Amino acid sequence: MTEISKHLFTSCCKDLHCSVLMHPWDRSCFTSSVSTYKNSLYGSAKFYLIVHLLQNIIKGKKVLSKKELMKAAEYYVRSTLLGMIISGSSITLSCFFRWMLGRKFTYYTYLFVPSTLNGITILLEPPKRRGLVTNLFFNLFIEYWMRVLERAGYISITKTKQVFLFMVGSALLFYLMRLEGDKEKRTPILWLFTPEKVRKLNEVENVCPHSGSCFQYIAKGYLQNFGLGLAFALAKLLLPKIGTPMRALSSLRWRHLDIALFFGSYIGIYRAIVCYLCKKQGFDSALYALPAGYIAGLSFIFKPNLGFAIASLTGAFKIFSTILYDKKMIPEKIPFTVIIYCISQGVLYHARCMDPEVCPKYVINVMNSVSNGLSNLIHKNLLTVVSKDYK
């Protein structure tokens, strides 16, 4: 069984008690909610501790000031509360809607409606992080629907098409990032590289957007990002086998360098083309990011990934929407970010139980981590009930 249809869910789950589907560890909705929130607090605290530590490491700061540490702690607490409330209230709201509808479950009020409504708690996150989280979930939302369309036979997702998507997204993203170069506050985008702002014509000592020689600039970009990719590859290899690190290292193969080759060549090619165009034309321009980003996107062939290809396009869309906001072409009173997050979360959390075959693995892992294992238990019970009826 790959997908639980609306008809199948209604026929076998409509009249069940909520303890069967939502909280099998306790029949009482009230006491089960208490234990759910406790588990979610614990799982959320563990999950976001790793997330925030990694994000601060990526920023590259070795020592944080007291003010920065206080802000980092505040952001961590806010993220933990967000995870706890979303995970816990999904179960609470599902029970509530069942009670409101005459003690009956429906296909959409089981998880879609609760997970859409509690998405409003994204407001707990500060605006900067809120945008990043929304962008991530929107990427996953698009990936899910592309997988659905692929399964239905409407589209095919080949490696060649993924590379092409990434090339287009990379070109647009780098171009829009360079256009924002002179802004005091850039649109927050979690990306491999933030290109330098366009060098003005009166800065005649070097027409390229960097100091020093072009060779050093290109080589530094390649080596730094190759090293970053290698670190990711080693972490992915070693962490699951932390008890036997030497055995894990002995299993290292050339194929584990694919992400390092992608990171390094992506930035190296981009920088090389921008420098070439600057020297050839005698001035710098944001337009150079279009051919540079497009050709550099060919490096994606080392490590094609649909989610990453989509991220390049949605990142460009995010900056473009910021430009539209700045030009007052989109009303500021409409909270598009919150609406997009709520819908994306509702669809993805619903898909985790009803359509796990094409649901992005990241969603499944996040739900299980934040709920401290409860989401997997709930899904297992749902499959047990549906499988009996299906047979």
Side-chain angles (χ1 to χ4, degrees), residues 15-35:
D15 296 315
L16 292 176
H17 189 269
C18 50
S19 63
V20 178
L21 295 181
M22 297 309 300
H23 45 87
W25 53 90
D26 194 329
R27 185 171 177 82
S28 167
C29 293
F30 177 76
T31 55
S32 66
S33 291
V34 175
S35 62

Side-chain angles (χ1 to χ4, degrees), residues 295-322:
I295 297 172
L298 279 170
S299 60
F300 199 54
I301 198 169
F302 286 117
K303 189 66 175 177
N305 177 274
L306 179 60
F308 211 76
I310 294 170
S312 65
L313 289 166
T314 55
F317 174 76
K318 183 180 179 182
I319 297 178
F320 183 65
S321 64
T322 301

Side-chain angles (χ1 to χ4, degrees), residues 159 163 222 255 257-266 269 296-305:
K159 288 185 177 180
V163 172
Y222 178 86
R255 59 185 171 82
L257 295 178
D258 50 10
I259 192 168
L261 290 169
F262 162 50
F263 281 12
S265 57
Y266 179 54
I269 293 171
L298 279 170
S299 60
F300 199 54
I301 198 169
F302 286 117
K303 189 66 175 177
N305 177 274

